[in-house]
């Protein structure tokens, strides 16, 4: 299933939820980015201002280089805003396939997942329905930021488009920021795609914690192919939230 684009609207199908009743932040951000700026090697920043509703057309407007998806019940209330930026993203250093596979065994979401429905990293999703990206910690020395890694093999049932790639880059940043211990949602994601992944090929995703500021948690994520070539990268701002708001 792919994004549903009608004239001046964006609809988020229920398959692409994060929390049970709202869209996966990375997928929504990528869908909006692809609609507004459908080019590789363009750095796009998407700010999420409210939980994206499911199965409802979001009105789109474009002004001053920004494309805004608004609340269908209140056109003055933005849900997500996309714009091209000149930000120079700093990738996360790669790890090998075998190391990433070993890390997956320690994925904290296997013990407890606050959003098991999540399209990107949910343990309650079946193969062909969700991406099932399960990032676990990468062993590192002292005084090194938290780093996680996972493998990914894009499958033909879900396919590969910009929204799916942004979703793959999304949740791994939250788990690098200790999502299992402090509930967070994606607030802003800035991403650049250098190439489209190949169906069935082996890829490694890595993410690292890049600090906190009050409720904000900063993270970065990168996607590498089997040869270690950077395919896509992102930097994110996450916000700690009350679990009761996302049931």
């Amino acid at each position: 299933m792919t994004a549903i684009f009608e004239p001046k609207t964006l609809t988020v199908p229920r398959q692409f939820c994060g929390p049970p009743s709202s869209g996966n932040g990375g997928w929504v951000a990528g869908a909006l980015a692809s609609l507004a700026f459908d080019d590789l090697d363009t750095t796009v920043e998407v700010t999420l201002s409210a939980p994206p509703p499911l199965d409802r057309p979001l009105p789109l407007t474009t002004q001053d280089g920004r494309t805004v998806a608004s609340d269908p019940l209140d056109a003055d209330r933005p849900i997500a805003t996309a714009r091209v930026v000149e930000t120079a993203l700093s990738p996360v250093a790669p790890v090998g396939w075998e190391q990433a596979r070993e890390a997956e065994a320690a994925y904290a979401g296997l013990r407890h997942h606050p959003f098991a429905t999540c399209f990107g990293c949910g343990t309650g999703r079946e193969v062909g329905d969700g991406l099932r990206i399960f990032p676990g910690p990468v062993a590192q020395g002292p005084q090194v930021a938290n780093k996680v890694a996972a493998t990914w093999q894009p499958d033909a049932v879900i396919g590969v488009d910009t929204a799916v790639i942004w979703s793959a880059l999304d949740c791994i940043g939250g788990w690098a920021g200790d999502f299992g211990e402090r509930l967070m949602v994606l607030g802003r994601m800035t991403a650049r795609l250098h190439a489209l992944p190949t169906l069935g090929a082996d890829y490694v995703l890595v993410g690292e914690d890049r600090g906190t500021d009050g409720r904000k948690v900063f993270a970065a994520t990168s996607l590498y192919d089997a040869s270690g070539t950077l395919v896509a990268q992102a930097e994110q701002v996450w916000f700690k939230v009350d679990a009761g708001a996302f049931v």
Side-chain angles (χ1 to χ4, degrees):
M1 184 180 296
T2 58
I4 300 173
F5 296 130
E6 298 175 354
K8 298 184 178 180
T9 66
L10 166 63
T11 299
V12 184
R14 186 163 298 276
Q15 177 185 2
F16 303 113
C17 70
S21 59
S22 59
N24 170 264
W27 190 92
V28 174
L32 183 59
S34 68
L35 179 61
F37 316 104
D38 196 14
D39 290 318
L40 292 176
D41 276 327
T42 299
T43 303
V44 181
E45 173 195 275
V46 178
T47 300
L48 298 164
S49 304
L54 302 173
D55 296 328
R56 285 190 285 170
L58 307 180
L60 300 180
T61 56
T62 300
Q63 185 175 6
D64 298 328
R66 298 170 185 263
T67 298
V68 181
S70 300
D71 188 327
L73 302 179
D74 182 357
D76 294 326
R77 180 173 181 252
I79 298 295
T81 303
R83 65 182 185 126
V84 171
V85 295
E86 299 299 324
T87 304
L89 302 177
S90 177
V92 183
V95 303
W97 170 270
E98 291 301 329
Q99 188 176 11
R101 288 286 290 173
E102 292 174 2
E104 289 173 330
Y107 174 45
L110 296 173
R111 300 188 300 274
H112 168 70
H113 199 306
F115 299 141
T117 57
C118 179
F119 172 71
C121 65
T123 53
R125 306 297 288 263
E126 300 295 330
V127 175
D129 179 51
L131 299 183
R132 292 177 56 83
I133 293 170
F134 298 160
V138 175
Q140 298 180 96
Q143 308 303 317
V144 177
N146 291 339
K147 186 172 182 177
V148 296
T151 62
W152 182 39
Q153 293 177 311
D155 70 79
V157 176
I158 293 175
V160 177
D161 59 18
T162 300
V164 168
I165 300 168
W166 278 58
S167 183
L169 288 166
D170 171 17
C171 303
I172 191 166
W175 290 101
D178 209 8
F179 179 62
E181 297 297 326
R182 49 189 180 191
L183 187 61
M184 302 180 293
V185 294
L186 185 65
R188 175 173 291 165
M189 185 167 173
T190 306
R192 189 179 186 98
L193 311 185
H194 304 291
L196 292 177
T198 301
L199 293 175
D202 294 338
Y203 293 89
V204 173
L205 285 152
V206 287
E208 68 182 13
D209 184 345
R210 291 193 171 171
T212 62
D213 180 11
R215 290 180 55 235
K216 296 180 182 179
V217 178
F218 303 95
T221 62
S222 297
L223 173 66
Y224 292 92
D225 67 15
S227 69
T229 298
L230 181 66
V231 176
Q233 60 191 117
E235 294 181 358
Q236 306 161 341
V237 181
W238 294 76
F239 286 89
K240 302 173 190 177
V241 296
D242 180 357
F246 291 88
V247 295

